[in-house]
Amino acid sequence: MLRVSRTAVWKNIQKLKEEGYPIEAVTNKGYRLLSMEETDIFNREQIVGKLSTSWAGRPLIFKEETGSTNDDVFALAAEGCPHGTLVVAARQTAGKGRRGRTWISPQEGNIYMSILLKPDLRPEVTPMLTVVMALSVYQAAESICGDSAGCRFGIKWPNDIVASVDGGAYRKLCGILTEMRMEDSEISAITIGTGLNVNQTEFAPEIAENATSFSLSTGKKINRAALTAAIWNHFEKNYALFVQNQDFSALRPAYEAGLVNCGKSVHVLDPREPFTGTAIGINDLGELLVQPDGGGPVRAIGSGEVSVRGVKGYV
Ligand code: BTN
């Protein structure tokens, strides 16, 4: 009826099986797609099928391998791609981290992705975009795997997503790098790049102490397409609230609910004037509020200026 030969069907089924689709074959009957639960098929179709956004992730470009998805986004911006264009990769060969570091990006079941934004924002509020992204990843982690016994997700200010198992130390499972391009002193393009350790089980010695993955923290294999889509579904809603107010006020309660620095002693690594204090929350600009040890007024710490370390460890 479909004018397709048996061999052509067989070839396509083999391709789907290679991609990880659980397909059963019965002689003289045909093929059947089995339950997709517990699978981790990571491709464009699987992600797009789970997106409920109107602009975030549209279009979505999927790559098995690339240099850096942040660089891909700037190249696409120069070609005229729209606000919301998303590049997702299964592996990066030149992944970039914050402060000029490398983001190790092996093909071990992780997510590397960057979105193109062409926002109409005042330049001084753009650092908050990273905080909007962190909140979205945290909410997606909670919605996809928040029911995992013993696992607690959190946000380490400003934009690291961390997890703790059975009350143990928090370790990092997601990092975010926001970059901006200017033209004639106006923002021409912004990319928010997000790297998530999802089904990775082993880490390079230099990061092993503080790194973890979703699967190590939850004890389950995670469907990357579902996690990716959930992140952008949350992001689009959070972004609307952020743009409407041009600040973080509407998102602050949700962010603070996940903020693991709250009430903890922190070192503020300000190159001009480092100090130690207790983190008490964030303000409407997404800055960390720290009560310095020994008294004095509460200080608001901007994410661009300094980094914050826990006095007793990473958080
Ligand atoms: C950090 O240092 O914590 C930020 C890491 C950001 C890594 C992501 S992976 C996707 C995107 N492309 C890059 O080259 N970097 C970001």
Side-chain angles (χ1 to χ4, degrees):
M1 202 165 66
L2 296 173
R3 296 175 189 280
V4 183
S5 71
R6 275 171 186 276
T7 322
V9 172
W10 180 84
K11 268 192 190 158
N12 281 295
I13 293 284
Q14 288 316 106
K15 233 169 106 193
L16 289 171
K17 278 184 169 175
E18 274 162 30
E19 281 184 38
Y21 287 88
I23 296 173
E24 182 188 53
V26 178
T27 317
N28 294 329
K29 277 197 166 168
Y31 301 99
R32 188 167 64 141
L33 182 63
L34 303 173
S35 163
M36 293 283 282
E37 245 176 72
E38 304 263 323
T39 59
D40 176 28
I41 300 161
F42 197 42
N43 60 30
R44 188 182 173 282
E45 291 67 32
Q46 287 294 320
I47 303 167
V48 171
K50 296 173 178 68
L51 274 182
S52 58
T53 57
S54 62
W55 58 267
R58 302 183 189 274
L60 189 151
I61 293 126
F62 184 90
K63 299 182 171 193
E64 278 302 327
E65 181 178 299
T66 191
S68 156
T69 53
N70 273 26
D71 293 346
D72 291 342
V73 159
F74 285 128
L76 291 168
E79 287 169 21
C81 280
H83 175 79
T85 300
L86 179 67
V87 179
V88 182
R91 173 173 144 79
Q92 293 184 123
T93 52
K96 299 185 287 186
R98 296 211 317 157
R99 297 176 205 287
R101 297 191 196 109
T102 299
W103 184 257
I104 306 170
S105 312
Q107 188 152 27
E108 286 181 54
N110 293 339
I111 303 172
Y112 312 103
M113 59 185 176
S114 306
I115 194 162
L116 168 61
L117 300 176
K118 296 180 172 173
D120 194 10
L121 289 174
R122 287 181 278 114
E124 63 271 25
V125 303
T126 54
M128 274 184 266
L129 283 170
T130 297
V131 188
V132 176
M133 187 70 210
L135 171 63
S136 311
V137 175
Y138 168 70
Q139 290 169 325
E142 284 287 327
S143 62
I144 296 281
C145 25
D147 59 348
S148 308
C151 170
R152 271 200 74 181
F153 292 105
I155 306 169
K156 176 185 174 286
W157 182 87
N159 58 8
D160 285 348
I161 307 304
V162 293
S164 144
V165 179
D166 295 333
Y170 279 102
R171 288 158 176 249
K172 173 165 169 172
L173 39 68
C174 167
I176 298 169
L177 173 69
T178 301
E179 296 184 280
M180 186 159 65
R181 294 278 188 273
M182 307 281 290
E183 250 169 53
D184 303 328
S185 54
E186 300 239 314
I187 303 168
S188 60
I190 291 182
T191 186
I192 310 178
T194 308
L196 299 113
N197 304 330
V198 186
N199 291 317
Q200 184 171 356
T201 52
E202 280 172 15
F203 292 92
E206 61 267 35
I207 57 169
E209 198 188 341
N210 289 330
T212 189
S213 67
F214 280 78
S215 68
L216 285 176
S217 311
T218 60
K220 292 179 204 154
K221 186 169 189 175
I222 307 297
N223 184 293
R224 280 174 291 171
L227 181 58
T228 303
I231 290 171
W232 297 111
N233 294 342
H234 281 289
F235 180 83
E236 191 171 286
K237 291 188 192 128
N238 292 334
Y239 185 87
L241 289 170
F242 168 63
V243 171
Q244 195 180 319
N245 299 306
Q246 297 266 321
D247 72 19
F248 204 63
S249 51
L251 301 171
R252 192 173 152 185
Y255 184 93
E256 282 186 334
L259 185 63
V260 292
N261 308 89
C262 252
K264 295 245 169 72
S265 280
V266 290
H267 285 306
V268 178
L269 307 172
D270 184 338
R272 286 162 304 165
E273 198 196 350
F275 70 97
T276 303
T278 304
I280 55 174
I282 58 162
N283 63 15
D284 287 348
L285 301 176
E287 295 169 329
L288 187 70
L289 300 172
V290 181
Q291 172 67 66
D293 290 346
V298 169
R299 305 254 307 257
I301 313 296
S303 61
E305 308 151 26
V306 295
S307 68
V308 167
R309 286 277 170 280
V311 166
K312 287 196 196 135
Y314 176 59
V315 172

